[in-house]
Amino acid sequence: MENIKKIPVILDGDPGHDDAIAWVVAKASPLLDIRAVTTVCGNQTLEKTTYNARRICTLIGLEAPIAKGRPRPLFTDPMVAPNVHGQTGLDGPVLPEPKMEVQDISAVELMARTLQESDQKITLIPTGPLTTIASLLLTHPELKDKIAHIYMMGGGIAYGNWTPAAEFNILVDPEAADIVFNSGLPITMAGLDVTEKALVFPEDFARVKAVGNKVAEVVSEWLEFFYIFHKNKGYTGAPVHDAVAVAALIKPEIMQFRDLHVDIETHGEFCKGTTVGDVFGVTGKEPNARVILGIDREAFVELIIDSVKAYGEDA
Ligand code: RIB
Ligand code: CA
């Protein structure tokens, strides 16, 4: 088999059950070379998302350097989601104590060092608020041309999930999102338009568990826990939002995309944090994002199952 030229990536997130599953999928992919992992406050405090990141990396054997982001959004107060992800941010299965230590540099400096040292452009995969990515762009503008693409989970052209208009990741740090969406960098946006269709049904949880290794067991229990909040809201499955951002990079053929101009509302009583997509081209502005609008749900579930299979029998 010819040597696949791997895509160098940096994972940035607020684990978070769906961030965790996204990282399981990313680590399992033969297409990706994970150069670094960085954390951001979002689903839970920075301390908790960082501890979770270390435990996830230990579970999946991901030995990339880990660094902490900012303890709060650029201008607003932190906003956590214990109602969705629990007090730890990753409630449910017992996880191994972390073997990976946190680097003694910030997430931005780890990202900057990784970009500087790479002989290839690097793809960033943020699955939480965009605080770290925006901070990188503000403090290291000279490294923008080392960023190949940003595959992010966040926003929603049609609706929000934390307010009627705004999705959680964007709402937590709308100024950061505004900086990223106006950066001129290629962006693929996995917003609620697609992630609400990326449902993993309870019968799928059992298929994941049946793979029979440790990672499969943990992922099935993450799905079970993540489904609790959504079932109570009337969902028929767990929307594994963040894994769609990774899937868009490694399996784009199962999705439908549309280039749109997206502005970020950073003010407003009702609409702060909205990703305003120019669906009818009325602004005349050039598209700045490739927005994912559809997904083959079954193929997405198969990707998650195939990913946990990659961890073998004794993982
Ligand atoms: O709105 C869903 C997003 O918010 C996901 O990234 C989830 O992990 C939370 O961060
Ligand atoms: Ca997330």
Side-chain angles (χ1 to χ4, degrees):
M1 185 174 173
E2 81 278 1
N3 288 329
I4 302 170
K5 191 164 178 60
K6 291 191 172 218
I7 304 166
V9 301
I10 295 175
L11 303 177
D12 175 69
D14 59 340
H17 293 75
D18 50 337
D19 304 75
I21 296 169
W23 294 5
V24 165
V25 173
K27 171 65 168 58
S29 173
L31 300 178
L32 303 184
D33 172 13
I34 302 169
R35 299 281 181 87
V37 173
T38 53
T39 58
V40 65
C41 70
N43 284 322
Q44 261 298 348
T45 63
L46 181 68
E47 290 311 312
K48 291 182 177 180
T49 61
T50 304
Y51 178 59
N52 292 338
R54 295 171 59 210
R55 295 194 296 167
I56 296 160
C57 290
T58 301
L59 172 75
I60 63 178
L62 175 52
E63 297 187 353
I66 303 170
K68 284 162 60 171
R70 288 169 52 96
R72 52 184 301 112
L74 295 182
F75 299 102
T76 49
D77 292 330
M79 198 180 348
V80 294
N83 54 325
V84 183
H85 299 274
Q87 284 306 324
T88 70
L90 199 56
D91 281 18
V94 175
L95 295 178
E97 277 309 302
K99 287 182 187 153
M100 285 79 176
E101 290 307 320
V102 180
Q103 300 286 308
D104 60 3
I105 56 173
S106 72
V108 168
E109 288 318 302
L110 176 59
M111 276 190 181
R113 186 179 74 188
T114 308
L115 290 165
Q116 284 158 348
E117 292 171 355
S118 176
D119 58 2
Q120 292 169 269
K121 289 193 174 192
I122 296 182
T123 294
L124 309 182
I125 310 180
T127 55
L130 292 168
T131 312
T132 309
I133 311 299
S135 302
L136 173 72
L137 296 174
L138 289 172
T139 54
H140 292 279
E142 77 285 358
L143 292 174
K144 222 170 97 170
D145 65 359
K146 292 298 289 292
I147 300 170
H149 202 118
I150 297 174
Y151 280 77
M152 49 79 69
M153 190 280 142
I157 303 304
Y159 47 74
N161 64 357
W162 215 253
T163 71
E167 177 277 329
F168 180 80
N169 287 341
I170 306 299
L171 180 64
V172 168
D173 200 338
E175 289 81 4
D178 189 37
I179 289 165
V180 172
F181 275 77
N182 283 297
S183 66
L185 287 167
I187 294 171
T188 293
M189 172 180 145
L192 299 176
D193 313 282
V194 62
T195 68
E196 291 284 313
K197 299 169 186 168
L199 297 178
V200 182
F201 296 146
E203 54 265 31
D204 300 320
F205 305 171
R207 295 176 59 211
V208 170
K209 185 171 184 169
V211 168
N213 61 38
K214 177 63 180 166
V215 171
E217 174 74 24
V218 169
V219 167
S220 68
E221 291 181 28
W222 281 337
L223 287 164
E224 294 279 358
F225 184 90
F226 192 47
Y227 183 44
I228 296 168
F229 168 83
H230 293 93
K231 184 178 180 182
N232 294 335
K233 289 265 185 185
Y235 282 71
T236 56
V240 187
H241 305 282
D242 295 333
V244 177
V246 173
L249 177 56
I250 62 178
K251 215 169 181 57
E253 65 274 14
I254 69 170
M255 298 181 194
Q256 293 81 48
F257 302 84
R258 183 161 173 206
D259 292 340
L260 291 176
H261 185 84
V262 177
D263 284 311
I264 309 296
E265 180 53 78
T266 56
H267 297 81
E269 180 182 355
F270 299 108
C271 296
K272 182 172 183 177
T274 305
T275 46
V276 184
D278 185 3
V279 172
F280 296 107
V282 295
T283 66
K285 294 179 185 174
E286 284 300 307
N288 59 345
R290 184 176 63 148
V291 178
I292 313 174
L293 295 177
I295 191 167
D296 176 338
R297 190 202 71 83
E298 289 79 10
F300 176 67
V301 172
E302 288 306 317
L303 174 62
I304 292 174
I305 292 171
D306 289 344
S307 298
V308 297
K309 284 179 181 173
Y311 291 89
E313 295 308 317
D314 56 358

